[in-house]
Amino acid sequence: MVEFTVTILGCGSAKPTLRHHTSSQIVSRLGKLYMIDCGEGTQMQFMKYGFHSEQMENIFISHAHGDHCLGLVGLLSSMSLDNRYRAINIYVPSGFVDILKAQIDFFIPRADFDIRICPIDCQAPTRIFSDCHFDVTAIPLFHRVPCYGFLFREKEGGRHIIPECISKYGIKFSEIERIKSGADYTTATGQVIPNAELTAPPVMPTFPTPSR
Ligand SMILES: [Zn+2]
């Protein structure tokens, strides 16, 4: 299992104070970022922690109270000014879709990237997202407005072939995917090399420590 990190960009409620920013968290795995909530001032915190918006393709908004989403359009506007080209997906409670879309159309009419708004509307825990790192389940919560928590369930990473083994055993390129999937390897002389000797578990790369 590969480690991942959660960074709290803001944990204050209702309005920012000098000590607390409004709600936003970043889940990070292998350099890919996932944002949960985007209160006012989130993009300042985002920069302060050394994150880059190009690392992020998915934003999850728990509910349409300002302290959880008033920073979103500003962040998207900055992405547009930074000439972003990659699409971004934004998961929001369905009742927020039209308002958010109107704000985006008004403030960011010429974005060069797709802003995909994905409505969440469920009465029971429902998987709303999946990629190579996570399954994300939206969990309905009690609040004055429709509100969801997000469960990030980590996926097991694939094993990597040990580069030295390729030349040592003369492994053909066409065999590599099979070995990464768990197969043993039989050399030209008939020697069977167990998969555990040829592969290693996924390695967590090191990234610079975010600065505050
Ligand atoms: Zn609220």
Side-chain angles (χ1 to χ4, degrees), residues 63 65 68 143:
H63 65 295
H65 278 162
H68 292 256
H143 200 22

Side-chain angles (χ1 to χ4, degrees), residues 62-68 143-145 147:
S62 63
H63 65 295
H65 278 162
D67 52 335
H68 292 256
H143 200 22
R144 296 192 304 280
V145 296
C147 182

Side-chain angles (χ1 to χ4, degrees), residues 1-2 29 132-134 153-159 201-202:
M1 196 72 71
V2 176
R29 184 169 175 189
C132 58
H133 295 310
F134 296 110
R153 205 183 300 271
E154 192 180 10
K155 289 182 179 174
E156 188 79 37
R159 291 179 70 84

Side-chain angles (χ1 to χ4, degrees), residues 31-113:
K32 206 166 170 185
L33 308 180
Y34 306 77
M35 179 177 282
I36 300 114
D37 283 342
C38 189
E40 180 188 347
T42 289
Q43 60 174 321
M44 303 294 288
Q45 286 289 88
F46 190 78
M47 287 188 284
K48 227 185 246 181
Y49 276 82
F51 295 127
H52 300 284
S53 60
E54 278 297 324
Q55 296 173 266
M56 186 162 68
E57 291 171 15
N58 298 284
I59 298 175
F60 302 83
I61 300 295
S62 63
H63 65 295
H65 278 162
D67 52 335
H68 292 256
C69 62
L70 280 180
L72 181 56
V73 175
L75 176 64
L76 295 171
S77 174
S78 293
M79 288 178 179
S80 179
L81 292 170
D82 288 340
N83 299 316
R84 184 187 175 98
Y85 62 89
R86 251 206 217 142
I88 191 146
N89 306 306
I90 305 170
Y91 298 82
V92 300
S94 57
F96 186 34
V97 170
D98 289 346
I99 296 163
L100 179 59
K101 199 171 172 337
Q103 290 180 331
I104 291 169
D105 288 346
F106 186 85
F107 288 109
I108 322 165
R110 286 181 292 278
D112 287 329
F113 60 104

